Amino acid sequence: MLFLTFFIGIILNAMGYIPPGNINLTVAQLAINKGMRQVWYFILSFSCVEVFFTFGMMRFARWAMSDINPNEAVSEVRLSTLVDCFMIVMFLVMGTITWKNRKKVPKTSNAKEDKRSGSVLYGLILGVLNPVQIPFWLFFGNYVILHQWIETDYLSLVIFSLGSGVGSTLALYLYAHFATYIQEKFALSSLIINKSIAIFLFALAGYLMVKQAIVIL
């Protein structure tokens, strides 16, 4: 049962990182501009935060879904709107930074120049500032609990959370590997890729803006 719990955690969280978002696009950009070593520092630090985040959300999920509605107003503002607004700001900021740095030439560093602290800190920050995971775990966490796919005792939730961390690690590594493969296969420059990532981030922000405008109207 614990192995199944671990496996469900892997699959469920890996699925959450399939759609392009700020995290997997950041990993793709790191892989192209700084190399796989920096990617691993980022992924491992991010996944460590993900383990604790998942555990907390799974403990919170059942109560939250029974007492909190994503469309419920908080100070007359819906929770889903607050999450979308935060993501809009994040996409715009990351898109702007990527666009401004689009012409910078990637630097290959040796072991002495390899500053892993920057990637580790970046992973920790984005692990904490990842509000899109809140509605994800509120829905899917409650789903697996109600369908009795996992138990809700502390040990089971710890195993599930560890599986979640492994799932995010695998999914993000595949994104990074795919990004470097595409660059090498089609001989794409870092300029083209950085511009593409920036445009996509702006497009995601635009989509959320239109979504909220439709809801308001």
Side-chain angles (χ1 to χ4, degrees):
M1 185 62 184
L2 290 179
F3 175 78
L4 180 61
T5 299
F6 182 76
F7 184 74
I8 292 174
I10 293 175
I11 297 299
L12 197 59
N13 206 26
M15 287 173 52
Y17 288 103
I18 292 176
N22 60 315
I23 304 301
N24 36 34
L25 291 180
T26 297
V27 166
Q29 189 178 18
L30 279 175
I32 292 167
N33 294 337
K34 295 187 178 181
M36 291 300 294
R37 181 187 293 271
Q38 295 296 326
V39 168
W40 273 115
Y41 294 148
F42 175 90
I43 290 177
L44 292 177
S45 60
F46 177 85
S47 296
C48 286
V49 176
E50 189 82 342
V51 170
F52 292 101
F53 184 86
T54 301
F55 181 82
M57 288 304 302
M58 291 299 291
R59 292 288 299 175
F60 183 71
R62 194 158 190 177
W63 172 84
M65 285 303 289
S66 61
D67 291 295
I68 296 179
N69 188 326
N71 292 321
E72 184 178 346
V74 176
S75 299
E76 300 183 355
V77 180
R78 297 186 314 162
L79 290 176
S80 58
T81 299
L82 293 175
V83 172
D84 281 355
C85 288
F86 186 92
M87 295 307 298
I88 288 170
V89 173
M90 181 174 288
F91 286 145
L92 289 176
V93 170
M94 294 183 67
T96 301
I97 293 174
T98 302
W99 183 264
K100 289 180 65 176
N101 295 327
R102 67 189 184 279
K103 294 182 180 180
K104 286 188 176 181
V105 179
K107 297 180 180 180
T108 55
S109 59
N110 55 36
K112 293 182 180 179
E113 298 172 337
D114 190 11
K115 298 180 180 179
R116 61 184 177 184
S117 59
S119 296
V120 171
L121 181 61
Y122 197 22
L124 293 175
I125 292 173
L126 287 188
V128 174
L129 300 178
N130 190 25
V132 73
Q133 287 293 83
I134 296 176
F136 177 84
W137 284 119
L138 284 177
F139 177 79
F140 286 104
N142 193 62
Y143 185 88
V144 296
I145 291 174
L146 289 179
H147 286 75
Q148 298 182 340
W149 290 3
I150 65 171
E151 301 294 333
T152 55
D153 59 278
Y154 278 99
L155 179 59
S156 296
L157 290 184
V158 168
I159 297 298
F160 180 84
S161 301
L162 290 173
S164 170
V166 173
S168 62
T169 299
L170 292 176
L172 294 177
Y173 170 76
L174 289 176
Y175 252 96
H177 185 73
F178 180 72
T180 55
Y181 172 79
I182 291 296
Q183 183 190 31
E184 296 171 358
K185 184 71 173 180
F186 298 98
L188 299 177
S189 67
S190 59
L191 173 62
I192 294 175
I193 293 175
N194 286 335
K195 288 175 67 175
S196 300
I197 291 175
I199 291 171
F200 194 83
L201 288 169
F202 288 139
L204 288 175
Y207 163 76
L208 292 177
M209 289 178 184
V210 172
K211 172 187 170 186
Q212 286 304 316
I214 293 174
V215 171
I216 293 173
L217 297 176

